Structure formats: structure tokens, C-alpha cells
């Protein structure tokens, strides 16, 4: 089958993935048992799943009816309903959960500026703030396990290179790749 965006659970026992076929949904695989459980059931696109730090929840980005793009979550064991966490107009990908569980790293596509990196703070009223916005595409971002560094790819040099930048306060960036 055609899988994308696989993410391993914090305990290493499960894998959440986007299954790209007619269902186009989020599934969770139990590695030891070799079984798969479906988390999303909407015919629209569901993609880029991420695990909460405690491994109890999976969040993903999706399109639903009147929601142009949304961030959804559901218990990793499939119990309960999926919840709309936050909605926006532009295409978005989830990349990481902050280690304290209070926020997400989200890449949002702007038709004029390309892909940029945002921080979505969760809570009663989720709010997103720009972390890194340039005229170039920043993508494939991930946080270090301690949440102090963000690694990402940018095409600012004319080809994709890998950079590291402090987080949550953006400091000087360091390019760590040299050959694209």
C-alpha cells in the first residue's frame, strides 16, 4: 500500500501514517502485533500525523466540508471522536509536538511567501504565531527531543539545505548541509 508521513510513537511500539489510497486516512500500526487501526474516516485528505509526547494522542492536518484546512486529534487507541483543534484557510502540515505537550510545530503554505514554520499553542483558544517566515520555503522541520533546537530544510540558497536554529526564541541559524 502507499504510505506517507510515518511517525513512530514515543515508546517505539506504534507507527502513525497517512495511507494514500481511496481512503486517504490516518492509520496506526501496532508493530508487534502487525495490525492496523484506522483513526480518521472522512473521504477528504488527512495527512502528516504526529504523536503527543505521552503517546496517547495523534494529531494530523485535514480538509473537512466547510473547513478549508484543520488540525484534528484523536486518542491513539481510536476511542472517542476526532476533535477539531484549530482551523485555517491555507494548506498546512503538522511536523512536531512540543515536548511539554502545549503546542505544535506547523508548516503553513502562503500563496505569496511559500511554506513557513509556525508555532501553534494549544489550550482553550489555540493560537498560531510565526516562528520562521522568509520569501523561501522552510519545510521538513523537527524539534530536538529537549525542544531547544529546530532543524528544517530551506531552499534559500537555490537548493534545499538543512539548517538548525534555536527554539522557542529564534536565534542565529546554522547551515549544516553543504551539498543540497
Amino acid at each position: 500500500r502507499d504510505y506517507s508521513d510515518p511517525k513512530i510513537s514515543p515508546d517505539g511500539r506504534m507507527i502513525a501514517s497517512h495511507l494514500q489510497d481511496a481512503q486517504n486516512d490516518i492509520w496506526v500500526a501496532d508493530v508487534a502485533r502487525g495490525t492496523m487501526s484506522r483513526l480518521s474516516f472522512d473521504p477528504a485528505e488527512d495527512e502528516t500525523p504526529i504523536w503527543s509526547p505521552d503517546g496517547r494522542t495523534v494529531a494530523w492536518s485535514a480538509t473537512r466540508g466547510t473547513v478549508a484546512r484543520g488540525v484534528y486529534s484523536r486518542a491513539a487507541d481510536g476511542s472517542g471522536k476526532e476533535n477539531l483543534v484549530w482551523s485555517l484557510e491555507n494548506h498546512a502540515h503538522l511536523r512536531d509536538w512540543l515536548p511539554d505537550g502545549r503546542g505544535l510545530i506547523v508548516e503553513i503554505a502562503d500563496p505569496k511567501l511559500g511554506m513557513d514554520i509556525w508555532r501553534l499553542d494549544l489550550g482553550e483558544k489555540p493560537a498560531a504565531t510565526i516562528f520562521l517566515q522568509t520569501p523561501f520555503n522552510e519545510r521538513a522541520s523537527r524539534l530536538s527531543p529537549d525542544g531547544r533546537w529546530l532543524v528544517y530544510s530551506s531552499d534559500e540558497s537555490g537548493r534545499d539545505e538543512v539548517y538548525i536554529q534555536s527554539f522557542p526564541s529564534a536565534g542565529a541559524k546554522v547551515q549544516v548541509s553543504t551539498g543540497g
Side-chain angles (χ1 to χ4, degrees):
R1 299 181 77 171
D2 191 7
Y3 300 95
S4 72
D5 308 316
K7 298 291 183 318
I8 298 172
S9 65
D11 67 6
R13 296 179 21 209
M14 311 287 265
I15 300 172
S17 184
H18 167 214
L19 183 52
Q20 299 183 89
D21 61 8
Q23 297 162 345
N24 216 9
D25 285 310
I26 303 300
W27 290 72
V28 172
D30 182 319
V31 176
R33 293 181 30 227
T35 59
M36 302 246 337
S37 301
R38 192 172 171 183
L39 281 189
S40 65
F41 293 86
D42 193 275
E45 179 183 59
D46 299 285
E47 62 181 351
T48 63
I50 58 174
W51 289 90
S52 63
D54 64 9
R56 294 182 183 171
T57 305
V58 175
W60 65 89
S61 60
T63 303
R64 297 275 186 275
T66 60
V67 178
R69 199 65 174 174
V71 172
Y72 292 85
S73 70
R74 186 171 186 189
D77 65 6
S79 63
K81 297 179 183 179
E82 70 178 27
N83 301 302
L84 175 62
V85 175
W86 185 63
S87 62
L88 63 159
E89 294 298 317
N90 294 341
H91 197 85
H93 292 155
L94 303 189
R95 292 301 180 199
D96 225 335
W97 213 300
L98 274 58
D100 65 7
R102 296 182 186 186
L104 309 174
I105 299 297
V106 181
E107 294 169 359
I108 300 175
D110 183 301
K112 295 177 185 171
L113 296 174
M115 189 71 76
D116 295 306
I117 302 171
W118 293 64
R119 175 184 174 148
L120 175 61
D121 290 307
L122 304 173
E124 200 170 301
K125 286 190 157 191
T129 54
I130 297 167
F131 175 73
L132 184 59
Q133 186 176 51
T134 73
F136 307 102
N137 291 300
E138 294 83 34
R139 57 187 172 270
S141 55
R142 296 289 187 280
L143 279 172
S144 62
D146 64 5
R148 295 181 53 215
W149 302 98
L150 185 80
V151 62
Y152 63 93
S153 173
S154 174
D155 60 3
E156 71 181 65
S157 69
R159 64 181 180 194
D160 284 331
E161 297 290 353
V162 177
Y163 298 85
I164 296 176
Q165 192 160 350
S166 63
F167 187 88
S169 298
K173 67 180 180 213
V174 177
Q175 182 177 330
V176 295
S177 66
T178 59

